[in-house]
Amino acid sequence: MPPIIGTSGFVFRRGRLTEKTFTPRPGIDTVWRPGQAPGLSTFESLSLRRGEVAQVIAVVLLQPLLRAIPDDVAAGGTPWYVSIAPVDAAGGIDQQLLDEWAATRGHSPAHALTGNVLQAVVQINVRQAP
Amino acid sequence: MNTAPAVQNSSLIPADWDQVHEQIQATLDELARRVCMRCPATVVRPGGKTAGRVWYLSSYREFNLTEGDAEAEDIVVAMTFSPVAVCIRIQAEVGGAATGRTDYEAPERFVPASLPAVLAVTRELGEELCCWDEVVVQALSERRPPPDYRKERA
């Protein structure tokens, strides 16, 4: 299946327009992996099966507190994979804030960072071109 | 891709969308009742809504067979309103929260950007949506595991 090639500066988040979809999972998305920063999982390129939808995020619209961090494939990361995570003043992952963010998943009200990512969505319910 | 907000031109104000959301949630209450009649083990999460730069409102309800969604993704029933030229596009669907898979969707509707028109079509779609209990139960029964984004090769 040919991938949708992401235009530079845009990433795809698979799933629907719910708050949970735009909140990292505690204990899973908050953990470092080789070549991969923790954070909300997105892809620069994504293959969608028939009927599947994804949301498009403009990286430039993310609040300064958030950063899109591509995987380091040479270090074991996944091609096209981009984590969206809060960073501190030095530009490193703000693990405490990330943990706080993830801890709100499924709770109301949603964390402000969830709202920030939702506000960066520029195309909704995209599908694979036939 | 344009990053300018597209929802600034709506003639509906936030209070109008609150009214639309409430109407949808009342419909989803009825759907949830029917789902639970068919499958009493269903966990119905509280109603939710989102809004953003390119959509006015997505009003939804999530269903699962467990309190969490680690084993199987939530099944979402949603109605979403977004601008298309001078109209509002209304999408109503059942699908997986994490996989993005669509289990069922109503044909898209396009209505003038006025509250009475939006409420009228929302009511129509709501009557249809109430009958999607079988689709929701079927989707729940599949127990679809959420994709492991952290390992997935796109």
Side-chain angles (χ1 to χ4, degrees):
Chain A
M1 190 183 308
I4 297 171
I5 303 298
T7 309
S8 178
F10 297 95
V11 291
F12 296 86
R13 172 71 180 170
R14 185 190 289 269
R16 302 201 124 72
L17 282 170
T18 65
E19 291 178 336
K20 272 170 86 173
T21 300
F22 286 85
T23 307
R25 298 166 298 175
I28 300 172
D29 298 328
T30 53
V31 179
W32 285 87
R33 298 180 196 280
Q36 189 171 80
L40 191 71
S41 301
T42 65
F43 292 90
E44 282 187 276
S45 169
L46 190 64
S47 292
L48 295 170
R49 294 191 184 90
R50 186 182 181 85
E52 290 181 343
V53 299
Q55 317 302 329
V56 183
I57 297 165
V59 171
V60 70
L61 294 176
L62 292 172
Q63 300 294 309
L65 201 57
L66 289 170
R67 184 166 298 170
I69 306 161
D71 269 20
D72 181 349
V73 179
T78 300
W80 308 110
Y81 185 97
V82 178
S83 295
I84 294 177
V87 291
D88 56 27
I93 300 286
D94 187 334
Q95 187 68 47
Q96 185 180 342
L97 183 54
L98 175 60
D99 290 338
E100 285 174 17
W101 182 17
T104 65
R105 189 171 185 274
H107 298 284
S108 185
H111 197 280
L113 293 179
T114 297
N116 286 349
V117 181
L118 280 163
Q119 287 302 318
V121 172
V122 292
Q123 197 175 347
I124 63 171
N125 295 335
V126 297
R127 296 163 188 254
Q128 186 79 40
Chain B
M1 202 174 302
N2 188 2
T3 58
V7 297
Q8 289 179 343
N9 297 327
S10 171
S11 59
L12 280 76
I13 61 174
D16 294 336
W17 289 114
D18 287 345
Q19 195 176 333
V20 175
H21 173 60
E22 284 172 18
Q23 182 173 308
I24 296 166
Q25 288 300 317
T27 301
L28 289 169
D29 284 342
E30 172 59 17
L31 173 66
R33 191 188 66 77
R34 293 186 186 195
V35 169
C36 290
M37 288 278 285
R38 281 181 178 271
C39 179
T42 303
V43 175
V44 183
R45 308 205 191 286
K49 66 174 178 177
T50 60
R53 302 171 69 90
V54 293
W55 76 105
Y56 300 115
L57 170 70
S58 186
S59 179
Y60 59 88
R61 193 70 61 91
E62 298 153 307
F63 300 85
N64 209 317
L65 295 180
T66 53
E67 288 298 331
D69 62 350
E71 291 173 31
E73 67 173 338
D74 284 350
I75 301 303
V76 180
V77 182
M79 214 181 283
T80 302
F81 303 78
S82 55
V84 175
V86 295
C87 293
I88 292 175
R89 175 175 65 178
I90 307 178
Q91 297 170 291
E93 60 194 6
V94 180
T99 61
R101 175 172 158 180
T102 301
D103 294 286
Y104 184 79
E105 59 188 336
E108 289 182 353
R109 306 284 186 94
F110 295 87
V111 300
S114 75
L115 181 60
V118 169
L119 285 174
V121 174
T122 299
R123 195 173 303 114
E124 269 179 42
L125 272 171
E127 287 171 9
E128 190 178 330
L129 188 151
C130 274
C131 302
W132 292 356
D133 48 312
E134 191 174 345
V135 179
V136 174
V137 171
Q138 173 61 38
L140 286 170
S141 73
E142 293 176 10
R143 306 289 293 147
R144 299 194 291 255
D148 189 349
Y149 302 118
R150 307 284 288 170
K151 290 178 183 170
E152 181 179 354
R153 299 255 167 197

